Amino acid sequence: MVKIQVSKPEKEVKAAAKLIESFLKMNGLSDKLTICLDYSLKCLGIYYYYDATEDTKRVNPNKIYVNPTACADFHKKKPSGYGYTNDFTCQGVLLHEFCHFVDRRRGLEYKFASETIINKNCDTAPERLAELFRLYITNPYFLFTIS
């Protein structure tokens, strides 16, 4: 099998990885996390905990997938801004998926009670949690102002 390595990931990917490392360190989390750049994804990004196929479950606790070419950085037509309510930048998508990762590891969804809706992606409790958590990480004062 031939391995493909990205020697210079987009600066947004590196910036998100740095924020994620800081968050993990500050919160005493020793999880090893892999960011996978998947240019074939039909969506912006995904963190899935398992794939259920018949009687087997494939656990994927430490991988976040993102398609950089689908993010707003590459499509100037999408209204988006890093650290704001509609953040579909590569960095924002990575942080959103990271928030799903933290939610799964810590069971935050069951403790989460906010009804604050900041964009169209907040249609379910897990998505609302990920969006608000992402905004908390990227722009906490703005979140405080609108909450």
Side-chain angles (χ1 to χ4, degrees), residues 108-119:
L108 300 177
E109 180 185 346
Y110 304 108
K111 302 171 190 170
F112 182 68
S114 177
E115 294 297 322
T116 303
I117 295 176
I118 60 170
N119 62 37

Side-chain angles (χ1 to χ4, degrees), residues 75-90:
H75 300 284
K76 302 297 181 192
K77 295 177 185 174
K78 286 185 177 181
S80 179
Y82 175 72
Y84 290 93
T85 55
N86 286 323
D87 185 353
F88 303 107
T89 63
C90 191

Side-chain angles (χ1 to χ4, degrees), residues 60-114:
N60 177 42
N62 298 330
K63 289 184 181 177
I64 293 172
Y65 297 87
V66 68
N67 181 352
T69 59
C71 296
D73 312 73
F74 293 88
H75 300 284
K76 302 297 181 192
K77 295 177 185 174
K78 286 185 177 181
S80 179
Y82 175 72
Y84 290 93
T85 55
N86 286 323
D87 185 353
F88 303 107
T89 63
C90 191
Q91 192 172 358
V93 171
L94 275 167
L95 292 170
H96 172 94
E97 299 307 331
F98 171 68
C99 294
H100 283 302
F101 168 77
V102 173
D103 172 24
R104 279 292 190 168
R105 302 297 275 186
R106 298 291 176 220
L108 300 177
E109 180 185 346
Y110 304 108
K111 302 171 190 170
F112 182 68
S114 177

Side-chain angles (χ1 to χ4, degrees), residues 129-142:
L129 171 61
E131 282 295 296
L132 292 171
F133 195 179
R134 172 201 48 84
L135 191 55
Y136 173 75
I137 291 172
T138 60
N139 198 345
Y141 297 113
F142 182 59

